[in-house]
Amino acid sequence: MSWIIEEKGFNKNNIELNGNKFMLGNGYMGYRGTLEEFGKDRLVACNLLGLYDRVGDKWREPVNAPNGFYTRLSCDDEQLGLPVSQTTGHRQSLDIYSGLHKRESTFTTSAGNGVSIETERFLGLSDVHLMCMKYSLKAAGSCRIVIETGIDGEVWDINGPHLKDMRPAVKQELIVLNSVTGELGCPVSVAEGLDIPFAAHMDIKMEDRCILRCISFEAQPGESYTFYKYVAVYTGNDIDRTESPTAVSGAAEEACLAAKGRGYIQLAAENAALWEERWKMSDVKIHGDEDAQKALRYSIYHLLSIAPSHSDRASIPARGLSGQVYKGAIFWDTEMFMLPFFLYTNPGIARNLMRYRVHTLDGARRKAAEYGYRGAYYAWESQDTGDDACTHFNVTDVFTGRPMRTYFRDKQIHISTDVVYGIWQYYRLTGDESILLEGGAEVILECSRFLISYAYFKKDKNRYEILDVTGPDEYHERVNNNAFTNMMVKHTLEVAVKTLELLKSKHAAAYEKLMAELDFNPELDALREMNDLLYIPQPDGRSLVIEQFDGYHRLEDISLQELKGRIINPNEYLGGGNGIAATTKILKQADTVLMLNLFKDRYPHEVKKANWEYYEPRTEHGSSLSPCVYALLAADTGNPEWAYKYFLKTATIDLTGESKQYAGTIYIGGTHPAANGGAWMAAILGFGGVGFDGSAVAINPKLPSAWSSLEFKLNLKGQLYTVVIDKTSVTIKSRPENTAGIDFSVAGKLLSCKAGGSISSGYNQNNL
Amino acid sequence: MSWIIEEKGFNKNNIELNGNKFMLGNGYMGYRGTLEEFGKDRLVACNLLGLYDRVGDKWREPVNAPNGFYTRLSCDDEQLGLPVSQTTGHRQSLDIYSGLHKRESTFTTSAGNGVSIETERFLGLSDVHLMCMKYSLKAAGSCRIVIETGIDGEVWDINGPHLKDMRPAVKQELIVLNSVTGELGCPVSVAEGLDIPFAAHMDIKMEDRCILRCISFEAQPGESYTFYKYVAVYTGNDIDRTESPTAVSGAAEEACLAAKGRGYIQLAAENAALWEERWKMSDVKIHGDEDAQKALRYSIYHLLSIAPSHSDRASIPARGLSGQVYKGAIFWDTEMFMLPFFLYTNPGIARNLMRYRVHTLDGARRKAAEYGYRGAYYAWESQDTGDDACTHFNVTDVFTGRPMRTYFRDKQIHISTDVVYGIWQYYRLTGDESILLEGGAEVILECSRFLISYAYFKKDKNRYEILDVTGPDEYHERVNNNAFTNMMVKHTLEVAVKTLELLKSKHAAAYEKLMAELDFNPELDALREMNDLLYIPQPDGRSLVIEQFDGYHRLEDISLQELKGRIINPNEYLGGGNGIAATTKILKQADTVLMLNLFKDRYPHEVKKANWEYYEPRTEHGSSLSPCVYALLAADTGNPEWAYKYFLKTATIDLTGESKQYAGTIYIGGTHPAANGGAWMAAILGFGGVGFDGSAVAINPKLPSAWSSLEFKLNLKGQLYTVVIDKTSVTIKSRPENTAGIDFSVAGKLLSCKAGGSISSGYNQNNL
């Protein structure tokens, strides 16, 4: 069943992996797939989006809330729980269709009694502060059961502890754990209510950073005992800062009581319905390939569970909500790898993601100024303020234990172009000009201004060049004229010109206001000149290969295998000052190939093919962002079987856990939303061959041989479509509620699809 | 006695050091201060200037000729020699006044007999191919002596062996060892003749790479036995390549026979006279400070013994003729640190040094083209062809054993500006326009052209910038707008403009020819514009400090002590990719301070002082080029006591051997001619306060308190002067043979000194 992820039997070595694999999320928070009795040493985390804290001089990272699901069990004074106790059966599962985590374990006591528990839990979609759990127990023989359940304030932290002044309290029928973050004193409150429909003795136990209810009763043989927990999490980010200090706690208590009032069964049913609603728009059906179907749905599940539908003040971190890895920071991953999924299926969330960049523009301005530039230089690792969480020493040298100077923060200037790319994609695909009027245009102009102030002019070649950058291939730092970066800069300048034209012609007042506020008139000549004279590395006349950056072709050309043979320490970083890849042609991840994929309409088939074939054997895929790009361009250039190989790699990453766990000595495990987004892109934009430029939708299918058909939904300018692609034809159905038609081009054949109508067209994959 | 360097007693640990310390040289070759019985494992070397060879894929290095002084001794079948035998007395000395190496050892045989030897040797000045040795022996008791002396082809090589096809031969009264270099097949011949004025049995013994005479006789108690060796060295570089293959050997044999004909005593006397002649022009007398006197004379000795008076096809390597270290390559050391000594005392040699750069211009053109530039980019490590011997991996990482990517070769662009600086200094001080007409102008224009093609224009700042360079401070690679480099670039452009004006006005035909040959007219606008608009980092308004390069002030500001506390491996390289100095403000060597010294007339006293005080505590002096620069600027800014401290450091480096012996895992020991030149500069240009701009000579003395007076010679435009500076006055004597007068400015007071005349002027050091 492709909707159920499960693991039978308990394997201690999988605790960390399963924390990622069985994760729940609702965009507000992520709850790791850990077991109820686990503590912080098993990486339990209720990871909060957009709330950060810093301890001492360690790096800032997101805050994990106290664990409201914490529950431990004893039978006749014997603790029962994993990984210590014996089990005769254990199963952990995730129903991704309903966003439901389940767990079943049967323990055997030392006296031979069998005690089984079953739990079920979910995070609220309509009320994102809510976490609910159902807990059932059955014993084979009569015994005395004590269940301690409540809120555990001892949470997993990489650079914690982040919560201080922890105050457990009882508020009528609720228990509450209030605390504040150490750096900014932001309140974090967790409240819990319990429904216990059987007779039991109840006590409350308060510890320093924990509050627990002790439920004790005599269990009868074969009798089932079930109770329900309602947990609400609120932080100072969620309420008006002018409210009273107890408002956060009050909100949590109120949400808790409201949930309890409605009851678990109803809440679970409503939640499942909301998940179903999401899937209606997001699901992709692959016929003929169960493995691909499951992996792709699982990838989509992760994207759905971390999407911030509730807020435009936060975006999706590089490891989603699976923990504090990568500082909970937002990278270019969001714009370049996750955004397309939302753009094509849920533009509202895409808008939130781009609005986050508008809100963090001032941080980008501060970063530009810090390095002596004008305009906006976005953070490589962005948190709540937009200031850069990335340091100049982002890797530890495994040979000396010293921090290693890296150039992610100060040289990866493409981040500003990525943000503009994202905003422009949003505008083009949705036609929603409000994103430009509400800050998007300002971001575009300020990023252009940054690039103008960054660029140099080479007089004897009469061209602008982009020097001293790090492109996507981070193994080669501080290079000149990185083809990807230069092209993205060009795109930004083009977008700036178009934005100015659009505003001037359609929103004259807004145009004048913005030009005045930004004092942008003096930049106009430079903007146009640089747009005209920017150097874009071109394909070589004979090989058609585009040199990744100036001098790349002079680097040592060795095989990946030979490079790996030189590795001394398995965790050594291959880039950086003395990295072994840095002096070779081996790249960390798609770089020129990514550029060709983003701008595939500007390059002929032969160039894309030649570059794919040249760079593919030289790519180490040291980043989880890489395989999907190779899948996309392979599909585009008519090689779906190669594309399929890379699609599977990107789609299964969080199922198998086969990804880098360390960069130098830094743990980088967790979920991989960019790869998840890459899986969707590879399927729909790659195999489906879908491309939308804001006017017509092109569909040029390249199904892999294993797939008999591919079915998916599209939301294009608010119009909803179902597309079914089989081996020979494409069928497009316009939903009855649609209000406008749209043009499609299937394998080059133009077709109009009226609102509520349906069109179908044959194609021959070999001719594409 | 300040003319004699000596060591009494034998210390095995000093073998390597003494090889440098007691070195003989005549510009054609250097013979290390090793003992006659030593073989290649004791680093015996007869190092040839300008002859290079490469074995396999190891780096090219200079060739060491077979050792014509090799001599070993036995007494009653017992080998006597160091370091094995017992000595009751041992003394090694160098008479730097006469260029004479002496050695005395008394051995005690196992039977208790005392055998003393005395040797004396020198390298020819009038015939630079010649090496002569006198060998005397005396035994306390009668015994059978066997002396084996000849030519040992087993020589010290770092990356050898370089000589193959070694053919020992007897040519009438001579023995000969012929060979050829492996890479280019260049013949190398060593011939030896012997004068033995006592009765002995003589045999010849040929080994694979060695030819020896066996001299055996019964020694009488107390009787002295003396013989003389005449050795001649010739290579294919010394003769017309079109001559017969035996011409090289023939030339060596001929030189040997001629020497033998004249006899050791006469040759030694003539040689001593030639050395005396050199000292007449080069000596510097320091009264009141024996240590300084000795160290400075010793420094001058080294400069004299490596100066290529015989050829303008080679220049002085960074380790002189002390071996193969640093590939026997010519660095910027020559122009910036050694040239001034020759310019002020022996302009003919200065001219040879600069002509070497003219001869290697094509190599510089090839290097520029290799990196995609126009014009001439001189080799960072220059050998015979001017192609760069420096690699991109010039240091080995001590932690991983891997070659480390360094940016000496491709980013130290100041080398081209240094060459131009040298040529222009030569022209200014000598007034000799022929250097410009015979290739110097071409070098200047081609270096300017390189810089034009290297520079970038920053439009929003309306200035040219020099990006991505490594300045003298090699711990900070790939920086932008290094103040030193930018200023040197500016100087090069100024010189190019002046050169063009000079040629146009005085040598119109040569001007037209050159402009046509170089197709230089299209560069003229760019040359003038860049000269006008080049960015030169300026002193900070408040601190007066000139930032060494863009962003230097943002680096970690730690003490030298703290930096050293972070060292894990004593040989670890502090620069390079992960070098611990690279991310701090600690500099390897004078950088901005060197710039201020070179252009001291362009900056006010306060700026020079402020920068000296700022950079001095942050300088590690990881290069032997550094202390003299601090001495010079300290003297200039009125701090002769600080200058004195640094003067002693630079002047004693080859006496004490206190210098870095390793960079990473690479041996970098040897003599330090740049430091030697720096000692002369510190004394004459620093303490003497001498400055010549081609018209008037400024003398602003800053004697250190220990010196009662300083006396030295100057050769200014062919006019010879003796200058005596004491605590209160400066006296200048024009030699009777002078033909023209010159103006002096002593402590600001203008004085004319007519040919053959003498002037004197008082000064007050405190007022300067």
Side-chain angles (χ1 to χ4, degrees), chain B residues 185-254:
Chain B
C186 178
V188 174
S189 289
V190 180
E192 184 240 38
L194 198 78
D195 251 349
I196 179 155
F198 60 90
H201 179 78
M202 302 279 285
D203 268 337
I204 305 275
K205 190 169 162 184
M206 291 197 198
E207 293 170 4
D208 182 27
R209 295 171 69 89
C210 191
I211 178 165
L212 295 173
R213 301 172 191 272
C214 303
I215 308 167
S216 50
F217 58 95
E218 300 294 331
Q220 301 305 313
E223 190 80 24
S224 180
Y225 300 89
T226 298
F227 66 90
Y228 306 93
K229 274 170 76 89
Y230 310 91
V231 178
V233 180
Y234 267 83
T235 80
N237 274 359
D238 306 320
I239 57 153
D240 188 336
R241 295 279 169 126
T242 59
E243 289 194 42
S244 85
T246 60
V248 172
S249 174
E253 292 158 25
E254 201 174 305

Side-chain angles (χ1 to χ4, degrees), chain B residues 547-593:
Chain B
E547 193 176 21
Q548 187 177 299
F549 51 79
D550 291 353
Y552 173 84
H553 282 325
R554 285 203 305 268
L555 298 176
E556 191 188 9
D557 197 12
I558 57 167
S559 70
L560 197 51
Q561 196 183 6
E562 193 175 341
L563 184 88
K564 288 187 172 172
R566 296 180 187 175
I567 289 174
I568 296 173
N569 181 316
N571 288 337
E572 70 175 275
Y573 182 59
L574 305 187
N578 294 337
I580 56 170
T583 57
T584 75
K585 288 189 174 182
I586 301 296
L587 30 152
K588 183 179 178 195
Q589 66 193 88
D591 192 300
T592 308
V593 167

Side-chain angles (χ1 to χ4, degrees), chain B residues 3 31 86 155 189 233 273 288 408 420 440 486 507 544 605 612 666 691:
Chain B
W3 296 107
Y31 191 90
Q86 288 293 325
V155 292
S189 289
V233 180
F408 306 122
V420 169
N486 284 28
H507 307 278
L544 301 183
H605 173 83
W612 194 97
I666 313 279

Side-chain angles (χ1 to χ4, degrees), chain A residues 453 456 458-459 465 529, chain B residues 453 456 458-459 465 529:
Chain A
S453 84
Y456 279 90
K458 194 93 188 82
K459 285 215 173 187
E465 298 188 15
E529 188 186 77
Chain B
S453 84
Y456 279 91
K458 194 92 188 82
K459 285 216 172 186
E465 298 188 15
E529 188 187 77

Side-chain angles (χ1 to χ4, degrees), chain B residues 30 38 40 95-96 171 173 176 191 230 264 273 328 342 444 459-460 480 518 579 609 644 652 666 701:
Chain B
F38 284 177
K40 65 176 181 175
D95 174 351
I96 61 172
K171 288 284 186 75
E173 62 195 288
V176 183
Y230 310 91
Y264 182 89
F342 296 110
I444 291 166
K459 285 216 172 186
D460 56 355
N480 294 337
L518 298 183
K609 192 164 179 296
Y644 183 69
T652 59
I666 313 279

Side-chain angles (χ1 to χ4, degrees), chain A residues 370-371 374 393 397 399-400 402 404-405 452-460 464-465 467 478 529 554 566-568 572 577-578 580 583, chain B residues 370-371 374 393 397 399-400 402 404-405 452-460 464-465 467 478 529 554 566-568 572 577-578 580 583:
Chain A
E370 177 193 340
Y371 288 112
R374 296 175 291 116
F393 297 84
D397 183 352
F399 299 108
T400 61
R402 293 170 178 154
M404 185 191 289
R405 179 67 163 94
I452 291 167
S453 84
Y454 191 86
Y456 279 90
F457 192 70
K458 194 93 188 82
K459 285 215 173 187
D460 56 356
Y464 285 87
E465 298 188 15
L467 307 175
R478 304 193 62 196
E529 188 186 77
R554 286 202 304 269
R566 296 179 186 176
I567 290 174
I568 295 172
E572 70 174 277
N578 294 338
I580 56 169
T583 57
Chain B
E370 177 193 340
Y371 288 113
R374 295 174 293 117
F393 298 85
D397 183 351
F399 298 109
T400 60
R402 294 170 178 155
M404 185 189 290
R405 180 66 163 96
I452 291 167
S453 84
Y454 191 86
Y456 279 91
F457 192 71
K458 194 92 188 82
K459 285 216 172 186
D460 56 355
Y464 285 86
E465 298 188 15
L467 307 175
R478 305 195 60 196
E529 188 187 77
R554 285 203 305 268
R566 296 180 187 175
I567 289 174
I568 296 173
E572 70 175 275
N578 294 337
I580 56 170
T583 57

Side-chain angles (χ1 to χ4, degrees), chain B residues 553-746:
Chain B
H553 282 325
R554 285 203 305 268
L555 298 176
E556 191 188 9
D557 197 12
I558 57 167
S559 70
L560 197 51
Q561 196 183 6
E562 193 175 341
L563 184 88
K564 288 187 172 172
R566 296 180 187 175
I567 289 174
I568 296 173
N569 181 316
N571 288 337
E572 70 175 275
Y573 182 59
L574 305 187
N578 294 337
I580 56 170
T583 57
T584 75
K585 288 189 174 182
I586 301 296
L587 30 152
K588 183 179 178 195
Q589 66 193 88
D591 192 300
T592 308
V593 167
L594 173 57
M595 186 274 277
L596 289 168
N597 183 59
L598 294 178
F599 300 96
K600 59 182 160 200
D601 298 339
R602 302 194 188 188
Y603 290 92
H605 173 83
E606 294 71 25
V607 168
K608 290 184 279 189
K609 192 164 179 296
N611 281 275
W612 194 97
E613 287 171 359
Y614 183 83
Y615 286 110
E616 193 272 339
R618 293 173 172 84
T619 305
E620 193 245 348
H621 303 295
S623 164
S624 60
L625 313 184
S626 191
C628 67
V629 180
Y630 277 93
L632 281 159
L633 203 71
D636 178 67
T637 54
N639 199 336
E641 304 316 316
W642 261 109
Y644 183 69
K645 180 192 143 192
Y646 279 114
F647 162 78
L648 275 189
K649 202 167 167 181
T650 192
T652 59
I653 185 168
D654 289 326
L655 275 176
T656 61
E658 281 168 10
S659 62
K660 278 203 183 176
Q661 300 295 304
Y662 284 90
T665 60
I666 313 279
Y667 174 64
I668 57 169
T671 60
H672 298 79
N676 305 149
W680 182 90
M681 286 198 288
I684 309 307
L685 311 184
F687 300 131
V690 171
F692 185 47
D693 65 2
S695 53
V697 187
I699 301 185
N700 296 299
K702 311 278 171 63
L703 294 195
S705 55
W707 296 10
S708 54
S709 76
L710 174 69
E711 180 179 340
F712 53 91
K713 306 294 195 310
L714 295 175
N715 178 337
L716 304 169
K717 300 198 170 183
Q719 310 302 307
L720 308 181
Y721 300 89
T722 301
V723 181
V724 182
I725 299 173
D726 64 22
K727 292 290 195 188
T728 56
S729 70
V730 176
T731 303
I732 301 148
K733 285 183 198 153
S734 170
R735 291 255 194 102
E737 64 266 35
N738 283 354
T739 55
I742 208 160
D743 288 341
F744 285 82
S745 156
V746 175

